[in-house]
Amino acid sequence: MWRAALLLFLASLSWGQILLRENDWRAKEIATYFEGGIETIRKESSRLNCEIQPIPSRLSYNFQFWTGYDVLVPMREFASGGRDKPILMALEVISETNGKKSYFFAPAQLPRNAPPEAWTSKNTMMNLGGGFLTGPGRFRVSLLVADGQGRTCTKAWKLEAAKLDVPLQLAPGAVAANGLNTWKGLVGGSGKLSLYVHAAPLLRRKVKAKLSAWEQNVLLSSMKSLLESGGFEEARVTVFDFDGRRVLFESEHFDAAAFEKLTEALADLNLGTVSAKTLAGPDESSLLADLMGKELQRNGPSNAVVFLGPSWRYGPKISPLLREQRNQMPPTFYVTLTPWQSSTSDLIEKFVRTGPKGKVIAVYRPEDLARAIREIREKRNSPAIPGPNVME
């Protein structure tokens, strides 16, 4: 079986995508997989049915060059077994600027507690993947995906990060880890923020079991920018899922440790199925009313309430209860992440617009996010906000 035992041994050493140090024995071991090229790997192993989609270099929502890849694997590939072993991804990135080779490694656990029908459905996909940062330049990328049965899926592509007229944190040709699994926490500022994050796909397409690497990046990096530059001293964070009618994460005092737990929750989020019991239960309006009821009952009101998430499907009318709740709230904002040039009037947008001091801000590009954060700083319930100006 094609080197599967060694890959599984490597998987036992760490979890989550990591950039291996140049002198790390694991980097040297993984380098041997790519020595003969992608074609050699394909000839020596049986094929894992998967689709690898490279993601072009983009200026991310924390104002760095971000690139990555999505790996779509039909869950029925494991209908007959192999679910107890991880899928493994090894990545080689070669800079054409300085010739340096960088290696990333990531094990990915198959979905837990998935219903039996998910493993035989033609349309249910596991969405795996990862991302990394680069400086400007051109790069060659090779990706190896392997499962515990020795099957592989591979792809090689070229990448270019065009130099932009913005301050850059990485030198030309440099490669760095994503950095989204860590955060230093709030520093300075004044007042409290209540942040509600809708964990949903940015693009509605095939039924997916997970958020893509880019979608996780957009949510986490935009959160970091808002928390770091919004001028708040404290933050309450709630992450919810309208489709599943559920709260995925809550933190009354959001800090660095809570951010790490949130990244894990988003990575583990299963979007593949929704139970009949859930669909027969409370709808989106009821979930939102429950969240806002708790918001109004908290000790110490927030200086601003901010919703953050993708522009969603067309929403229902605002109920009398939601209208009453909205009228009792402080300045309320909806930062809607919109990767296309049009959006629907979803439930959150209608809720924010129905009350006083409400503002919906569409974000198409990272520059729009900077504008949104400046507006929140200016219109929140606080005449003075200590700290530097936000991302001028």
Side-chain angles (χ1 to χ4, degrees):
M1 195 175 291
W2 184 85
R3 308 195 210 182
L6 178 57
L7 278 176
L8 286 172
F9 171 66
L10 288 173
S12 69
L13 301 180
S14 61
W15 198 255
Q17 178 176 286
I18 58 172
L19 172 61
L20 300 172
R21 295 181 180 179
E22 190 173 354
N23 60 350
D24 192 312
W25 71 269
R26 293 170 295 178
K28 296 176 182 178
E29 190 63 53
I30 291 172
T32 64
Y33 288 82
F34 295 100
E35 284 179 353
I38 291 294
E39 291 301 323
T40 300
I41 296 174
R42 290 173 179 167
K43 291 177 182 177
E44 294 180 351
S45 61
S46 57
R47 183 175 181 271
L48 172 67
N49 180 24
C50 81
E51 180 183 352
I52 297 174
Q53 300 174 343
I55 301 174
S57 177
R58 300 169 176 172
L59 186 65
S60 75
Y61 286 82
N62 58 348
F63 308 97
Q64 296 176 315
F65 281 121
W66 186 93
T67 186
Y69 54 91
D70 281 338
V71 180
L72 299 176
V73 184
M75 289 183 66
R76 63 177 179 169
E77 281 289 284
F78 303 91
S80 59
R83 304 171 199 171
D84 57 329
K85 298 177 181 178
I87 293 177
L88 309 157
M89 295 173 286
L91 190 74
E92 178 184 66
V93 183
I94 303 175
S95 169
E96 293 187 356
T97 302
N98 54 31
K100 183 179 178 181
K101 297 181 180 180
S102 301
Y103 294 96
F104 293 86
F105 181 71
Q109 188 68 45
L110 275 69
R112 304 166 187 164
N113 303 319
E117 58 269 22
W119 299 103
T120 56
S121 169
K122 295 181 179 180
N123 297 319
T124 304
M125 311 287 287
M126 286 184 293
N127 194 307
L128 312 174
F132 55 96
L133 305 174
T134 75
R138 295 178 178 176
F139 305 84
R140 299 195 306 274
V141 183
S142 298
L143 176 63
L144 164 65
V145 181
D147 72 355
Q149 302 175 68
R151 299 178 297 177
T152 65
C153 176
T154 59
K155 192 176 184 67
W157 66 94
K158 292 185 178 180
L159 166 72
E160 181 175 4
K163 188 172 183 179
L164 301 176
D165 189 21
V166 295
L168 299 176
Q169 300 184 30
L170 292 176
V175 174
N178 196 343
L180 283 179
N181 59 336
T182 59
W183 179 56
K184 295 180 180 179
L186 290 164
V187 178
S190 65
K192 297 178 181 178
L193 166 69
S194 287
L195 178 60
Y196 291 87
V197 181
H198 184 198
L202 271 72
L203 297 173
R204 303 287 286 178
R205 45 187 188 274
K206 291 181 179 179
V207 176
K208 298 193 305 179
K210 290 182 176 293
L211 294 175
S212 72
W214 171 243
E215 288 162 340
Q216 292 181 54
N217 176 277
V218 169
L219 286 175
L220 291 171
S221 62
S222 55
M223 273 188 64
K224 287 182 71 173
S225 293
L226 175 59
L227 292 169
E228 291 170 355
S229 303
F232 294 94
E233 183 181 21
E234 297 181 49
R236 302 158 167 161
V237 175
T238 302
V239 182
F240 63 95
D241 166 27
F242 267 152
D243 264 350
R245 316 284 201 268
R246 55 187 169 174
V247 173
L248 303 169
F249 175 90
E250 286 183 292
S251 175
E252 279 292 315
H253 304 283
F254 195 70
D255 56 13
F259 185 86
E260 186 174 347
K261 291 179 181 177
L262 173 56
T263 62
E264 295 173 358
L266 288 180
D268 290 341
L269 174 59
N270 182 5
L271 299 171
T273 57
V274 178
S275 69
K277 182 179 179 181
T278 296
L279 293 175
D283 58 10
E284 295 177 15
S285 294
S286 298
L287 176 61
L288 183 59
D290 183 57
L291 291 175
M292 294 302 97
K294 292 179 180 178
E295 174 67 30
L296 293 172
Q297 293 171 7
R298 281 171 164 153
N299 292 326
S302 293
N303 298 84
V305 173
V306 176
F307 291 91
L308 174 69
S311 178
W312 198 232
R313 56 180 171 239
Y314 191 80
K317 292 182 179 180
I318 296 298
S319 66
L321 174 58
L322 283 173
R323 191 178 300 276
E324 179 184 348
Q325 290 173 330
R326 177 66 186 86
N327 288 332
Q328 301 176 53
M329 294 174 64
T332 303
F333 305 86
Y334 182 19
V335 179
T336 171
L337 304 170
T338 311
W340 51 88
Q341 294 301 311
S342 64
S343 61
T344 56
S345 181
D346 60 21
L347 176 62
I348 300 174
E349 178 177 337
K350 292 178 179 180
F351 176 72
V352 171
R353 291 190 187 280
T354 199
K357 298 182 181 180
K359 180 71 174 182
V360 177
I361 310 172
V363 171
Y364 304 103
R365 305 165 302 165
E367 295 89 336
D368 298 326
L369 179 61
R371 173 177 57 84
I373 295 173
R374 284 196 295 267
E375 192 158 352
I376 291 169
R377 286 175 63 101
E378 292 168 359
K379 295 184 177 181
R380 49 169 278 186
N381 277 345
S382 178
I385 308 171
N389 291 330
V390 60
M391 295 175 292
E392 297 295 349

